[in-house]
Amino acid sequence: MGFSMSIVAPQGRKHLSADALFRLVHSGFASLPDDRVGETEIALADALMSAFAMFSLKAPSLLAFDKERAEGNLHTIYGIEQVPCDTHMREILDPISPKWLRPVFTSVFRQLQRGKALEPMAFLDGHYLLALDGTGYFSSQTIHCASCLQKVHRNGSITYFHQMLGAAIIHPDRREVIPLMPEPIVKHDGTDKNDCERNAAKRFVAKLRQDHPHLKFIVTEDSLSSNAPHIETLHNHALHYLLGVKEGDHAFLFQQVQAAEHAGRVTSYERHDRAAGVVHRFRFVNDVPLNAANTGVRVNFIEYWEQGADKVQHFSWVTDLRVSTRNVFHLMRGGRARWKIENETFNTLKNQGYNFEHNYGHGEQHLSVVFALLMMLAFLVDQAQQLCCALFQAVWAKLGRKRMLWERMRALFYDYAFASMRQLFEALWYGFKKSSPIVTLDSS
């Protein structure tokens, strides 16, 4: 193995490096209770860290990880003493309650806070823009577990599926997203009814405030969340909101806005971007009732048109933040950034090497949910690297695409010995040159 040393690898932030965060994750796993009875050959922390490493390395399947695993690098880079085989990993992780993983997410997040890495993600007056959205990641008519949601079809067949409510701190000007621990949408013990996104949101908000009682958030969601019970839940937990609304779903609200316009209460505002050839048109009004059934729930309304040369785009939101000509453009950009929870989070997990919708193993209790959460934890560490690590950023820029970065990283990991992830990234940065084989010639 040889390197070209003409350029020096960028220095990173020691406590926010991949190696430091891997150690933090491992220590979090080591603190979890292990309820297994009798002698255990492989520690729970090793099983959890092995699954985390599988997602960190973007292994296409559990079988591929089992066949290609490099015990030496899994020990030196991920701190794993013993790696379970694929079957044993599933057996160990299936009974694990997903709630035990929450402190590990929180510890990584607090490390980002301590390192002031989240400061560039602040959106408005010290508030973070927090996008929430539900997504599915498993569906089958045969494979199922105790946590599966169920859909019974007219012909009597059943589709089993898994969903989660994802959450990520986003910013209109940043590619990075900082995911928080998702809230699984699962069938709970002792119930026959399916769980739903609305109930998951209630649980998520309560846990968010337990983990981060003083952080200032503006929650942004789609129009399905613009209902009085959800808004009251957000209000009760001291969370601001910026929620999409649609005229077809919120006819009363739009009628009230129209009445306010006739009364002269609506403000119209235009902003021209001549360089881009775009006109930004707004109308907004403060303090209107959300709907006829909940006239006591008062909201501030924003309607926006982006007029370009060829098309017009239209959006509308409600918020509890008072709207003015000074902040309406910024609020609009925050509302439009909500798509990052879909594109920069879910679509990245599905299409950029994480294999989010692949069934790594389903189990009978919690395995599918645990794997999904560990994948999101690996994604959180990757996003921390993208946000904080100059070496990671340089290697990504050099290779051009994330998929290429993951492929090169995995190839080196499996074929060569490294003492740290930084050393592996340095190999990618400097360039990797294999030694030529030594050939002995017969001189006779």
Side-chain angles (χ1 to χ4, degrees), residues 217-221 230-232 234-235 239-243 297-300 318-321 331:
F217 291 106
I218 301 171
V219 174
T220 181
E221 301 175 77
H230 184 59
I231 287 175
E232 289 175 348
L234 296 175
H235 175 75
L239 296 167
H240 293 294
Y241 59 85
L242 182 58
L243 309 176
V297 178
R298 314 291 289 192
V299 297
N300 306 323
V318 292
T319 178
D320 63 328
L321 299 165
L331 290 171

Side-chain angles (χ1 to χ4, degrees), residues 41-101:
E41 180 183 351
I42 295 178
L44 176 61
D46 277 352
L48 284 164
M49 200 66 192
S50 296
F52 172 86
M54 174 175 67
F55 298 123
S56 176
L57 293 166
K58 320 301 178 290
S61 68
L62 181 50
L63 183 60
F65 177 75
D66 187 46
K67 287 182 176 180
E68 297 177 326
R69 67 188 187 213
E71 300 277 359
N73 286 334
L74 287 171
H75 174 66
T76 57
I77 295 178
Y78 291 97
I80 302 169
E81 296 296 333
Q82 288 183 283
V83 183
C85 69
D86 56 342
T87 301
H88 197 187
M89 183 190 293
R90 293 187 182 106
E91 290 172 350
I92 295 173
L93 299 187
D94 190 26
I96 299 299
S97 174
K99 68 181 181 182
W100 295 117
L101 300 179

Side-chain angles (χ1 to χ4, degrees), residues 118-130:
L118 294 180
E119 289 183 357
M121 301 295 291
F123 170 65
L124 180 66
D125 298 330
H127 290 75
Y128 294 106
L129 191 61
L130 181 63

Side-chain angles (χ1 to χ4, degrees), residues 1-4 427 430-435:
M1 183 167 60
F3 305 109
S4 172
Y430 287 125
F432 191 84
K433 182 172 64 178
K434 295 181 181 179
S435 301

